[in-house]
Amino acid sequence: MAERYDVLVIGSGPAGLTAAHAAARHGARVGLVDAQALPGGQVWRHDVRFSAPAFARRCMQATLEHIKIDWLPQTRVVGAEPGRLLVEDPRSARWLKYGALVLATGAREVLLPFPGWTLPGVTGAGGLQALAKQGWPLAGKRVVVAGSGPLLLAAAATARRHGARVLAVFEQADRAAMLRFTRGLWRWPARVMQAAVLRAQLAGVPYHFGSVVTAAQGEDALREIEVSGPRGQRRIACDQLAVGFGLAPNVELACMLGCQLEAEGAQQRVRVDARQHTSVPGVYAAGEVCGIGGRDSALIEGAIAGLAATGARTGIASLQRRRAQARAFARQLRETFAIDQRVRALAQPDTLVCRCEDVTLGALDAHVDARGAKLATRCGMGPCQGRICATALAELGRAAGIAARPPLFPARLETLALAPADGIAASLAT
Amino acid sequence: MTHSYDLIVVGAGIIGAACADVASAEGLKVAIVESGAIGAGVTAAGMGHLVAVDGLPAELALARYSLGLWEDLRDLPGGEFSRCGTLWFARDEHELARIPDKLARLRAAGAVAEAVDAAQLRELEPALSPGLAGGVLVPDEAVVYPPVMARRLVERACRRRATLIHARAIALGEHAVTLDDGQRLLGNVLIATGGALQALLPELLIHLRKGHLLITERYPNMLHHQLVHMGYTDSAHGQSDSVACNVQPRPTGQLLVGSSREYGVSDSEISLPMLRRMLRCAFQFLPSLRQLKALRAWAGLRPASIDGLPYIGRVAQRRGIWVAAGHEGLGVTTAPGTARLLVDQLLARTPAIDARPYDPMRAAA
Ligand SMILES: Cc1cc2nc3c(=O)[nH]c(=O)nc-3n(C[C@H](O)[C@H](O)[C@H](O)COP(=O)(O)OP(=O)(O)OC[C@H]3O[C@@H](n4cnc5c(N)ncnc54)[C@H](O)[C@@H]3O)c2cc1C
Ligand SMILES: Cc1cc2nc3c(=O)[nH]c(=O)nc-3n(C[C@H](O)[C@H](O)[C@H](O)COP(=O)(O)OP(=O)(O)OC[C@H]3O[C@@H](n4cnc5c(N)ncnc54)[C@H](O)[C@@H]3O)c2cc1C
């Protein structure tokens, strides 16, 4: 038979961790599921060399060691029926039943195509961070970080900590927008501290505004980039380029469950009420999946969702006030780092858009609508199931639907053949 | 505004696309009216197996006629025509006993088909489970990528001056059709709107039969032929929900796993219970499928007529209105033959095969 949890939490980033903890403290039996082997989500992704900040460690420990919480690592949700989810881990598949569900599936990077973006040596900003934390050798490498938003600084700091020579950070937002933003920062003193710490870690690294990497060049790997800034064009030789243009909520699971979505810029987020309740009874959502808000919103919303999912009435109001503040900060960030039209125009007709199926932007131009383009070119039909290209195309103003059918991730056929009455099925796969 | 044409094709699925292609090749002035993207209806949901199914004689005749015509279409770019052949397999002695009749029917219809015994079956497809009784190999059959084939046929028609109009047909008149953008087009009107047929021709009954498919990641050389269980024909012609093992190697190395049939459902959401049934059925014959990774699953609605044969021809009681729809699970295969039959009738020529079994009159009665 399927295992049953009072509260099932999907995602173990800050939002999922606090949701699980709050629900367990309120007496619920909790299942905490994540596709990754270790908890922490994006911001507290495990680093092979450096331990996480003390606060993060406490947060993860308190949750994983809680007697009422089952930690289910390397487990992906691939399908759903009312009241239960089909999950797969490397060795087995099972159905998990729940009383209430908290979706804390976070966000992914928006990778916008530009000439050369698929060359080895070019990654997303968060992608570079993840590589560094996995122990990928960066020592002595010449690294350039570009794109938009505070994630660039975090990525640059991580790369530097892992021995990279960070040549520069190029931010597309202009200096005036940044100044307006910093003038308003006094309202969020904790943020001033965070920014100051990051800047200190990046001492000596030039931070250029109004600058965009227009192309990456090299034969089989990156050798050089072209940058366009307020003082014209220039070329920089480098080994590694990390480009990040913000984040997009991972709404696929919510969408499959029938939760109402709403627009956040060109992307979609899950619509929730003041108690983090989605439009589907018993289903809550918290953190980046409800709109990009950063770590602090995620922590607060997770706690609200965890409490609400257990039916708690108290303890929520004060959290709601803190959430409003954290979300206000996120809105400021969004305005400051809104993507410039110039960036959207970087991709050329021969630039790849869908790297799984090798489809260029020009190949899509021949089609009047997204569905026709997909059928004719296979754009979005590869292993990433459109997560990369559809996100980018939405940002470029070309509507692309959200794929929300089972399997949500590539899954073994035997997993999809598992019935709720079957219990756990061990896989024969090696 | 009004424009007149020799033939106005409503619907650019594989059926409408093939009709527009043949009509324009005959020098007719053609318009194609499609409200969505070309080939994005059930044509995009199908398996694209070009196969002679021998359940009903008239179905077999149309399929065989069409397979001959597909030989002229196989080089259309991007259509992924791949001649993998069809391997029908029999589970046991009981199914094996049906093989001589099947061979005789296929051969009488002009197909090359040969019996294979249990050992040959294993040699042809080592991934099949041991213990199967034997089968029938039809080496000339093929698979295609239907939405691109439909698009290429429409493009070819447009190069012969056919006009493609992005609009929805909302009403029929005598030799006339009105579109939702206000245009009225005059001429013979061919309704090739698949499962939406009854919106324009309520007198021609269409049932939707939902079918699921699943595609895997790439596993090149795991299978070599389109594999179909002998029981497939029973599933295709049965009247209750059923599944049958039907697995296809795509030219990309991916495997397409089918198929199911459900009645009385009109949404194309994935039903996990049906997907489970379909997969378990496939595992019986191909146990190694279990460990493969599924990339995606989907469902489509086959447009079925009252008796398993498509409606092709003039619509009774209406002037200048024609139909080509209701091809159920075989419309990709039978599109070229359908187009030829329809255009021959339009031009008052004698078709190459007997057109009477497909006469829409039978449904209006
Ligand atoms: C690549 C990247 C790097 C980032 N780096 C930083 C940084 O350095 N500093 C910073 O302040 N912010 C960073 N962020 C922003 C980050 O989104 C937030 O700070 C914070 O991590 C959000 O927390 P969350 O709990 O909402 O989601 P996340 O931390 O994103 O956690 C979501 C978790 O859900 C899991 N998941 C999703 N779908 C499924 C499923 N179907 N089945 C099972 N598990 C699933 C994921 O594996 C993930 O662990 C980064 C974001 C990204 C995308
Ligand atoms: C799971 C599954 C597997 C299959 N496998 C195979 C196979 O292996 N081999 C095979 O031969 N067949 C197969 N089929 C069947 C095949 O897909 C169909 O028979 C065929 O695609 C029908 O084509 P059509 O052009 O009639 O319909 P459609 O492709 O649906 O085309 C109808 C078109 O009309 C348009 N339209 C509708 N109403 C209007 C209007 N009022 N105005 C303008 N446009 C309109 C629609 O947008 C649509 O594009 C399969 C089907 C399914 C579901």
Side-chain angles (χ1 to χ4, degrees), chain B residues 9-18 32-51 70 142-144 146 150 165-171 177-180 191-197 199-200 209-213 226 232 246 248 256-261 278 298-303 324-335:
Chain B
V9 179
V10 181
I14 192 70
I15 300 295
I32 304 160
V33 178
E34 168 60 60
S35 54
I38 295 163
V42 68
T43 295
M47 251 192 165
H49 181 202
L50 307 182
V51 56
W70 265 111
V143 302
V144 296
I165 302 170
H166 285 284
R168 172 176 297 279
I170 50 175
V177 57
T178 306
L179 311 185
D180 64 352
I191 312 302
T193 54
L197 183 66
L200 291 169
R209 284 186 182 176
K210 182 170 174 176
H212 285 79
L213 291 178
Q226 168 104 26
Y232 174 82
N246 191 348
Q248 174 183 111
L256 198 48
V257 182
S259 59
S260 67
R261 276 186 164 73
M278 182 181 100
W298 65 89
L301 300 168
R302 303 178 184 89
H327 294 71
E328 214 266 337
L330 213 55
V332 177
T333 304
T334 54

Side-chain angles (χ1 to χ4, degrees), chain B residues 236-256:
Chain B
H237 294 128
Q239 293 303 318
S240 55
D241 294 357
S242 63
V243 293
C245 175
N246 191 348
V247 181
Q248 174 183 111
R250 299 293 309 168
T252 54
Q254 294 172 287
L255 302 180
L256 198 48

